[in-house]
Amino acid sequence: KTLDNLTDIAGKRVLVRVDLNVPVKDGKVTDATRIERVAPTIQELSKKGAKVVLLAHFGRPKGEVVADMSLQQILPAVNDVLGAKVHFAADCIGEPAAAAIAAMANGDILLLENTRFHKGEEKNNPDFTAALAANGDIYVNDAFSAAHRAHSSTEGLAHLLPAYAGRTMQAELEALEKGLGNPARPVVAIVGGAKVSTKIDLLMNLVKKVDALVIGGGMANTFLAARGTDVGKSLCEHDLADTAKQIMIEAATATCAIVLPEDGVVAREFKANAENEVVDVNAIPADAMMLDVGPKTIEAVNAWISRASTLVWNGPLGAFEIAPFDTATVSAAKHAAAETKAGKLVSVAGGGDTVAALNHAGVADDFTYVSTAGGAFLEWMEGKPLPGVDILRQQK
Ligand code: 3PG
């Protein structure tokens, strides 16, 4: 059920779970993307005359009140994005919340303090959930990026109040369905990033679902080494050689092509503009490390993107934060964006570094969907259930 099913809500107290876990430096929000993403839901509910009560977490205060994890510091950015004055209550339950809600007029917006200041939140404690539910008539979840957590505000509330997906949750689920749920084939996945160890479940799941899996970034070295290639001083998890082999065996069984680097850009130092050269992966010097995939590999990756009808992308192909080792990531991102714009590709990307990489390439807006979710996007790629989504789907 979505906001389309929510008519006649003037005067109703709508508890909206949003993700305001945004980057903050010196008390200032440095990237408001997540706030921008939830704005349409908040504005729509406010326009319909609801009393919009925002629930969110910030950081990991572990059930304690931690001053620098107060949501009050996010308030100015929320006001800016919404172009409205948002009220604030110093606690998400009890008297402060009740008093602030009692003072609301129809269409008002109120932000409640960090739900994780209470131990009950992460435990999905029934008493805490009931205390949250006491403040609302309706529950809307617009926080896909927190939906991998079975917490009171992300899952528990949907058992106590009529529950609906917000606009961002809806868009996210529709995009993900196109990505891996019921995708147009062939499906190509690009997975990069530093380490295999953080993405074993994801790789195991993907080889069963996609037609080709491009492995880039530091994790490609682990696969090359497992295959017997000497990767010199490149970042490599040698202890995961067996895991990498197992993933390649699973891929062969599932007829998923594994695309590994054929050549790489190597350097002796990990720094911007370090002296570098392009070498075949079978000729990586013993004292050098691979910091990006090379031109032949870029050509191969872009050819896979051209062949694909669907692309799912998580993680950069090289050390994109330092020039010129961003070349492959930027090239593939631009190519995927062009194919998407030409109507030939559905492109879905997500995960912290990926969004930064696509922004760096200047093409994030040209992808079909770029998820701001980190952990939730990974768990979705791993094929794991997302409690916050599952409970919404069960609503009658
Ligand atoms: C995120 O930032 O990915 C979400 O807000 C979830 O945060 P968490 O990993 O602390 O649960």
Side-chain angles (χ1 to χ4, degrees):
K1 285 190 190 164
T2 70
L3 299 196
D4 293 335
N5 305 95
L6 269 185
T7 48
D8 211 12
I9 52 166
K12 292 262 165 56
R13 300 164 306 162
V14 183
L15 296 179
V16 188
R17 181 50 159 102
V18 289
D19 191 350
L20 300 180
N21 203 23
V22 292
V24 168
K25 205 171 172 219
D26 303 326
K28 288 228 158 55
V29 173
T30 55
D31 178 358
T33 311
R34 279 184 170 171
I35 306 176
E36 288 158 10
R37 290 284 175 97
V38 293
T41 292
I42 298 170
Q43 283 160 338
E44 182 174 341
L45 291 169
S46 166
K47 264 203 199 109
K48 286 179 175 169
K51 295 175 179 170
V52 186
V53 181
L54 305 178
L55 290 172
H57 75 278
F58 185 76
R60 293 177 176 168
K62 298 197 166 78
E64 307 291 333
V65 175
V66 179
D68 65 4
M69 292 189 200
S70 169
L71 277 171
Q72 194 150 21
Q73 64 192 315
I74 314 295
L75 201 56
V78 176
N79 283 327
D80 276 359
V81 171
L82 294 177
K85 161 123 188 60
V86 176
H87 304 272
F88 184 76
D91 197 349
C92 62
I93 56 170
E95 186 47 32
I101 292 168
M104 288 174 89
N106 292 3
D108 274 2
I109 306 165
L110 168 73
L111 172 62
L112 301 182
E113 181 59 287
N114 197 341
T115 51
R116 288 190 185 170
F117 281 179
H118 291 269
K119 288 202 165 56
E121 162 71 342
E122 292 185 58
K123 294 200 169 93
N124 207 349
N125 174 291
D127 294 337
F128 178 69
T129 313
L132 288 176
N135 292 324
D137 305 303
I138 292 163
Y139 168 67
V140 169
N141 190 349
D142 210 22
F144 173 84
S145 43
H148 55 318
R149 310 288 183 211
H151 295 172
S152 289
S153 69
T154 60
E155 200 271 349
L157 275 174
H159 294 274
L160 299 185
L161 296 174
Y164 300 82
R167 293 297 180 203
T168 289
M169 174 70 91
Q170 187 187 345
E172 187 102 29
L173 295 179
E174 282 166 7
L176 298 188
E177 181 65 16
K178 280 191 209 156
L180 284 184
N182 189 15
R185 293 197 173 267
V187 187
V188 172
I190 297 179
V191 179
K195 290 185 170 176
V196 174
S197 47
T198 55
K199 294 191 183 170
I200 296 171
D201 290 349
L202 181 153
L203 295 167
M204 283 290 192
N205 184 46
L206 283 182
V207 291
K208 290 182 206 129
K209 294 204 168 144
V210 304
D211 301 293
L213 172 62
V214 175
I215 300 177
M219 65 167 62
N221 304 325
T222 303
F223 281 82
L224 291 172
R227 209 181 61 178
T229 305
D230 188 345
V231 296
K233 285 227 157 52
S234 305
L235 182 72
C236 180
E237 293 166 285
H238 290 283
D239 55 324
L240 286 181
D242 285 344
T243 305
K245 278 186 202 155
Q246 192 54 39
I247 291 168
M248 290 193 272
I249 291 168
E250 295 280 342
T253 313
T255 57
C256 164
I258 294 268
V259 184
L260 288 175
E262 295 167 46
D263 56 351
V265 185
V266 299
R268 267 96 188 154
E269 289 172 288
F270 185 84
K271 65 169 199 194
N273 302 313
E275 203 176 305
N276 61 81
E277 59 183 314
V278 173
V279 296
D280 188 279
V281 289
N282 294 311
I284 299 174
D287 61 345
M289 55 193 153
M290 183 148 86
L291 294 181
D292 198 7
V293 301
K296 263 199 216 158
T297 309
I298 297 178
E299 215 175 289
V301 172
N302 285 346
W304 273 108
I305 293 173
S306 299
R307 232 171 285 159
S309 294
T310 305
L311 174 71
V312 181
W313 189 338
N314 172 262
L317 291 171
F320 80 97
E321 319 87 327
I322 50 171
F325 309 106
D326 56 348
T327 307
T329 303
V330 169
S331 167
K334 286 191 167 156
H335 186 57
E339 294 283 296
T340 307
K341 268 170 110 179
K344 295 193 230 157
L345 183 70
V346 170
S347 50
V348 179
D353 266 3
T354 319
V355 181
L358 297 186
N359 279 332
H360 173 74
V363 296
D365 290 345
D366 298 329
F367 270 55
T368 309
Y369 196 81
V370 178
S371 172
T372 61
F377 189 85
L378 292 184
E379 292 200 20
W380 164 75
M381 279 184 103
E382 288 166 1
K384 292 192 177 145
L386 300 173
V389 170
D390 290 347
I391 188 68
L392 288 182
R393 289 199 202 279
Q394 287 162 27
Q395 297 294 309
K396 294 263 156 45

